[in-house]
């Protein structure tokens, strides 16, 4: 009776060639290819192509009232900056936005902390977000003007509404995604109530919270510009929205485009210098996000 045995592969030892210490540790790319690897260069090139297309289409249309050229808009933007008018309008808008944004963050964290602590808090958050999250913030502006009158309080009210619900939903979803093992570890260390939320849930759910902050900022920024169109028309004051509305009435289309460019530029600066920097310093550095 013969027994089957698996074949045995003979041992092989490969001798590696000695390292060339004079060789470069990594392949050196050509200068143009190194430049192309930078995201800022690629994005800048896209903006240059878009500006060239805008200039060409505007020159073909040859109607400054409907579509000014890129160079005319750039001149109007430069004039607004040098005269200080655009900076003044932008500072009014940003100051209002920061007030509403900060109050919305505080309200969202208070509501979410209540939701993760008690059952009635979860029911309250679920009911309120179902009711108010689909409601556009700008639709509440007439009611806010009726309650708070013509002033900053009306705009702050609609800004809080635009930040509160998406941030509360994102934060609560992040808290729900925290692993049960991590929760049990925190409870074993004696974390309860507010300390449980601050020291365990918030760091663990930070990617979702940052995503909610980014969405809330975008909602608040577009709500503010839309609200200033209405608010500025009512009281004669306002920020960038009022600047756009006023110049549109006076048929200064290049200034209208300059105001829109300011809105876009501020949005880009907040996204890249604010949220991207914050993500690199926290969740990407900690390996929680790629």
């Amino acid at each position: 009776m013969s027994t089957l045995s698996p074949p045995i592969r003979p041992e092989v030892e490969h001798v590696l060639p000695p390292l060339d210490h004079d060789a470069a540790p990594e392949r050196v790319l050509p200068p143009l290819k190194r430049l192309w690897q930078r995201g800022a260069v690629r994005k800048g090139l896209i903006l240059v192509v878009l500006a060239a297309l805008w200039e060409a289409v505007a020159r073909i249309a040859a109607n400054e009232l409907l579509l000014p050229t890129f160079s005319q808009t750039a001149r109007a933007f430069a004039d607004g900056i040098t005269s200080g008018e655009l900076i003044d309008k932008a500072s009014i808008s940003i100051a209002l936005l920061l007030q509403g944004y900060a109050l919305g963050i505080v309200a969202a964290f208070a509501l979410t902390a209540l939701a993760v602590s008690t059952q009635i808090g979860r029911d309250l958050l679920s009911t309120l977000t179902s009711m108010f999250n689909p409601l556009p913030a700008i639709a509440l502006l007439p009611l806010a003007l009726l309650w708070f009158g013509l002033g900053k309080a009306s705009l702050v009210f609609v800004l809080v509404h635009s930040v509160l619900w998406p941030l509360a939903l994102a934060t609560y979803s992040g808290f729900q995604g925290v692993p049960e093992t991590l929760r049990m570890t925190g409870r074993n260390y004696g974390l309860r109530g507010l300390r449980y939320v601050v020291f365990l849930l918030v760091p663990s759910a930070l990617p979702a919270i940052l995503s909610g902050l980014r969405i809330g900022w975008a909602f608040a920024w577009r709500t503010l510009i839309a609200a200033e169109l209405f608010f500025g028309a009512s009281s004669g004051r306002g920020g960038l929205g009022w600047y756009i509305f006023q110049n549109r009435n006076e048929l200064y289309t290049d200034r209208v485009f300059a105001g829109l460019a300011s809105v876009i530029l501020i949005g880009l600066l907040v996204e890249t210098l604010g949220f991207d920097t914050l993500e690199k310093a926290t969740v990407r550095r900690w390996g929680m996000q790629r």
Side-chain angles (χ1 to χ4, degrees):
M1 182 177 180
S2 63
T3 57
L4 296 176
S5 59
I8 300 176
R9 189 169 57 186
E11 295 289 338
V12 176
E13 182 177 354
H14 297 281
V15 179
L16 298 176
L19 292 175
D20 185 5
H21 296 287
D22 296 332
E26 60 183 7
R27 186 164 60 95
V28 179
L29 296 175
L32 284 179
K33 200 165 185 178
R34 286 206 306 271
L35 195 62
W36 185 250
Q37 297 296 324
R38 298 179 179 273
V41 174
R42 295 195 299 271
K43 292 177 182 177
L45 184 62
I46 292 173
L47 292 179
V48 169
V49 171
L50 290 177
L53 286 175
W54 178 1
E55 184 78 19
V57 171
R59 287 183 182 276
I60 292 173
N63 191 333
E64 298 179 1
L65 189 61
L66 294 181
L67 182 62
T69 62
F70 174 77
S71 54
Q72 289 173 329
T73 302
R75 278 196 298 273
F77 181 80
D79 292 341
I81 294 294
T82 51
S83 66
E85 187 178 11
L86 269 178
I87 296 175
D88 181 53
K89 299 296 183 184
S91 62
I92 293 173
S93 296
I94 292 173
L96 271 174
L97 179 71
L98 290 179
Q99 295 177 35
Y101 194 62
L103 289 175
I105 290 173
V106 172
F109 275 94
L111 193 58
T112 312
L114 183 64
V116 297
S117 303
T118 62
Q119 180 62 49
I120 189 65
R122 285 189 283 276
D123 295 337
L124 179 66
L125 177 64
S126 174
T127 305
L128 292 182
T129 51
S130 301
M131 290 170 57
F132 295 116
N133 192 40
L135 183 65
I138 197 67
L140 291 175
L141 186 58
L143 192 60
L145 291 174
L146 185 64
W147 286 347
F148 304 106
L150 296 176
K152 294 180 181 178
S154 302
L155 291 177
V156 171
F157 176 78
V158 295
L159 289 177
V160 170
H161 174 83
S162 62
V163 174
L164 171 58
W165 309 116
L167 178 58
L169 274 179
T171 305
Y172 185 67
S173 300
F175 287 174
Q176 292 295 97
V178 176
E180 189 59 32
T181 306
L182 196 58
R183 293 171 181 269
M184 292 173 64
T185 305
R187 286 194 287 268
N188 287 337
Y189 275 97
L191 294 179
R192 297 288 188 277
L194 186 60
R195 294 178 68 240
Y196 177 76
V197 174
V198 173
F199 293 112
L200 190 137
L201 292 183
V202 170
S204 304
L206 198 54
I209 295 173
L210 289 178
S211 177
L213 287 172
R214 194 187 288 264
I215 294 172
W217 141 258
F219 282 4
W221 186 229
R222 70 182 66 172
T223 299
L224 175 63
I225 298 302
E228 281 180 343
L229 292 172
F230 180 81
F231 179 71
S234 300
S235 66
R237 294 185 303 165
L240 284 173
W242 169 241
Y243 176 85
I244 294 170
F245 182 82
Q246 189 179 31
N247 285 292
R248 178 258 182 191
N249 287 340
E250 297 174 0
L251 299 180
Y252 291 122
T253 314
D254 53 346
R255 295 184 184 177
V256 173
F257 275 82
L260 293 173
S262 303
V263 174
I264 295 172
L265 188 61
I266 292 173
L268 284 174
L269 289 176
V270 171
E271 287 283 341
T272 54
L273 298 182
F275 290 110
D276 287 352
T277 305
L278 187 59
E279 282 185 352
K280 288 178 184 175
T282 55
V283 293
R284 292 185 189 175
R285 183 182 177 188
W286 300 337
M288 301 173 70
Q289 192 178 65
R290 295 182 63 186

